[in-house]
Amino acid sequence: MSTPSGSTRLSQEERTRAMRARLLEATVELLVERGFSGTSTTLVSERAGVSRGAQLHHFPTKNALVVAAVEHLSDVRREELAAAAAALPTGRRRTRAVLHMLGDHFASPLFVAALELWVAARTDETLLEAVAPLEQRIGRETHQMAVELLGADESRPGVRELVQATLDLVRGLGLANTITDDARRRRRILDQWADTLDEALAGGARDARDARDTEGER
């Protein structure tokens, strides 16, 4: 009994997607375990259980493979962060919860893999051309997510800088975590920064209201 051509084509597409996913996941694992210099297309194909020919058909160079892998994992992490954001508490402890969520994100394998790419791209112009736009897009998306989760009003002076300082802080803590498990210190720092951030954002809102009231009295 023959299989309809549409069903066969769909099955092939599914197999192709699964194979690509295995290649990308294996690449991220190797970036984390061995770094950029220790990651090779041969090792990736072996770990993914994919033939060299099939791997080279989809990703002809190492640079193409590692950039696609980090982009793939970034998309996965964005979906995971969106789901985690939906479960965040409201009220006084929201800022603290947001910061811990971001801190965990920048301590994840994605950050380690991306860091390997950034370091390698510093001295590889071809890789830099591919990595720079990806990093800029991820940076914009992460910044916008932080603004929304914190309820920050960037039309007020200094608020955009506060949000960016927050992201710079969690990135720095993520970098420290690549050397040693820094979870306890990270939580203490983020708890303190949450209090500082809440006070700064609330104080800015009060100043804006006072300015409007003063203007209205004139």
Side-chain angles (χ1 to χ4, degrees), residues 32-177:
V32 173
E33 293 173 12
R34 301 183 177 223
F36 182 83
S37 62
T39 298
S40 68
T41 54
T42 300
L43 287 174
V44 169
S45 61
E46 290 175 354
R47 177 165 297 198
V50 174
S51 70
R52 285 279 291 152
Q55 181 239 294
L56 291 172
H57 172 73
H58 291 283
F59 304 103
T61 67
K62 174 181 173 178
N63 284 0
L65 181 59
V66 294
V67 171
V70 171
E71 185 168 18
H72 164 73
L73 190 53
S74 297
D75 292 339
V76 172
R77 286 293 293 165
R78 183 170 61 248
E79 294 174 1
E80 292 175 350
L81 283 172
L88 287 172
T90 57
R92 294 181 62 251
R93 295 187 64 83
R94 181 174 177 83
T95 300
R96 185 169 297 188
V98 169
L99 295 189
H100 284 306
M101 186 186 78
L102 291 173
D104 291 341
H105 170 66
F106 282 101
S108 71
L110 167 61
F111 180 74
V112 177
L115 184 61
E116 287 292 331
L117 273 188
W118 299 340
V119 173
R122 187 179 67 84
T123 55
D124 184 329
E125 291 186 5
T126 302
L127 184 59
L128 180 61
E129 288 179 0
V131 171
L134 173 61
E135 164 57 17
Q136 290 168 3
R137 176 176 68 79
I138 294 173
R140 287 193 300 268
E141 291 174 352
T142 306
H143 184 98
Q144 184 58 38
M145 180 185 65
V147 169
E148 294 172 359
L149 293 178
L150 293 169
D153 180 4
E154 289 196 309
S155 66
R156 288 172 23 221
V159 171
R160 180 175 179 79
E161 289 74 18
L162 276 173
V163 173
Q164 194 57 56
T166 298
L167 293 175
D168 287 344
L169 171 63
V170 291
R171 284 193 189 96
L173 292 172
L175 179 60
N177 197 70

Side-chain angles (χ1 to χ4, degrees), residues 11-31:
S11 177
Q12 179 60 39
E13 290 171 356
E14 290 175 342
R15 287 198 296 271
T16 298
R17 284 197 297 269
M19 182 190 66
R20 285 174 62 91
R22 291 200 307 274
L23 285 168
L24 298 177
E25 289 163 6
T27 302
V28 171
E29 290 174 2
L30 286 166
L31 282 171

Side-chain angles (χ1 to χ4, degrees), residues 111 171-182 185:
F111 180 74
R171 284 193 189 96
L173 292 172
L175 179 60
N177 197 70
T178 63
I179 303 300
T180 183
D181 184 357
D182 211 34
R185 188 176 75 96

